[in-house]
Amino acid sequence: MAPTTIAAPSSCMLLKTPFSLKRGSKALSLNNGRRLSKRLFSCNAIYNPQVRIKREGQPETLNYRVFFEDASGKKISPWHDVPLHLGNGVFNFIVEIPKESSAKMEVATVELYTPIKQDTKKGKLRYYPYNINWNYGLLPQTWEDPSFANSEVEGAFGDNDPVDVVEIGDSRGKIGEILKVKPLAALAMIDEGELDWKVVAISLDDPRASLVNDVNDVEKHFPGTLTAIRNWFRDYKIPDGKPANKFGLCNKAASKEYALKVIKETSESWAKLVKRSIPAGDLSLV
């Protein structure tokens, strides 16, 4: 299957290799991508790569993978190599699960280049018991540290994954699509004792994006959506005989300011992870 090309937007960002700044040049270039630098770069350079999607295998099979490639055809990691920050409170969001679908797709954090695949349990593909009603995916370059107990959320430890995003816009995304989003709120889901943040956001391309800038705007222009998101994630495991998930922060959606705090903290945790300041365990850092 021929790769799909996605143009990622320009940005100012926090970087790690395989992106590096050439000495004496204002342009970013790719190195061989095989060695992980212990240094993070902060820059004002324009980042405008052609990120290509390459699908291997057939959808809804155990060997199906969605890989990301740079313009030269070299594999890169959607988790580590797509920048988080775009400036002015805008972030990259990678769609894992398009709205109105039920296949439980996710970045394979333990596989080389962390492609998107369908999750499995006991060797079988996993599906939600019903469709998810929003685009769902991750914020790149974030990580919920499983060694960190969050004193604000019942002392729950991170779930060892990137931060999840629920994108509430009208358009249906595609697996691997990179969208520019602005955060609006955050839900502190506690899943079997682990803290699993859900950042509620909207694509800048959505017709109503300019109308919503914080949690109260969501209630005004998308009435009932925050409750529906909370209830969906609270209840989706019940059909499998598991208890309902809980939520911290008084069971309410926190503000945009709080969501930005979550993003900042988990981005700092990711930076420590890729610098190997924190043990990676089985996680792939490539």
Side-chain angles (χ1 to χ4, degrees), residues 153-154 187-196 230 233-235 243-248 251:
V153 189
E154 302 182 20
L187 288 160
M189 190 177 92
I190 302 173
D191 181 356
E192 299 182 19
E194 294 181 338
L195 179 55
D196 187 1
R230 186 192 64 213
F233 284 100
R234 181 193 65 194
D235 297 340
N245 288 318
K246 300 191 302 178
F247 288 85
N251 208 37

Side-chain angles (χ1 to χ4, degrees), residues 21-138:
L21 192 61
K22 281 186 175 179
R23 182 176 298 176
S25 170
K26 294 183 179 180
L28 286 172
S29 64
L30 293 169
N31 66 22
N32 62 22
R34 296 190 179 276
R35 294 178 61 86
L36 289 172
S37 171
K38 291 188 177 182
R39 181 179 177 188
L40 297 174
F41 297 91
S42 175
C43 71
N44 295 316
I46 296 300
Y47 175 75
N48 189 24
Q50 295 295 311
V51 178
R52 302 190 302 179
I53 300 301
K54 183 178 180 183
R55 297 172 175 85
E56 297 184 1
Q58 294 299 313
E60 299 188 66
T61 64
L62 292 173
N63 64 346
Y64 181 61
R65 297 290 185 276
V66 178
F67 284 97
F68 284 53
E69 296 180 343
D70 64 22
S72 70
K74 185 178 299 181
K75 286 180 179 177
I76 61 173
S77 165
W79 180 19
H80 301 308
D81 296 326
V82 173
L84 170 63
H85 299 277
L86 293 170
N88 298 320
V90 179
F91 301 86
N92 275 326
F93 157 61
I94 300 173
V95 179
E96 294 170 304
I97 305 174
K99 67 189 297 184
E100 306 307 333
S101 64
S102 64
K104 194 175 185 303
M105 308 298 295
E106 62 179 23
V107 163
T109 57
V110 300
E111 294 186 12
L112 197 64
Y113 300 111
T114 65
I116 297 173
K117 69 168 188 175
Q118 189 166 350
D119 191 22
T120 60
K121 184 176 181 180
K122 296 180 179 179
K124 296 183 178 180
L125 297 171
R126 291 187 66 186
Y127 294 85
Y128 291 121
Y130 30 72
N131 284 352
I132 190 166
N133 307 124
W134 312 274
N135 294 314
Y136 186 54
L138 75 142

Side-chain angles (χ1 to χ4, degrees), residues 216-266:
N216 293 330
D217 297 330
V218 180
E219 294 288 8
K220 179 179 179 181
H221 296 284
F222 293 80
T225 295
L226 291 172
T227 298
I229 292 171
R230 186 192 64 213
N231 291 350
W232 195 97
F233 284 100
R234 181 193 65 194
D235 297 340
Y236 80 91
K237 289 187 174 182
I238 293 177
D240 291 333
K242 293 186 176 181
N245 288 318
K246 300 191 302 178
F247 288 85
L249 304 179
C250 300
N251 208 37
K252 296 180 180 179
S255 67
K256 175 179 182 174
E257 181 181 5
Y258 200 98
L260 292 174
K261 173 177 174 285
V262 169
I263 294 170
K264 180 178 183 293
E265 290 175 349
T266 54

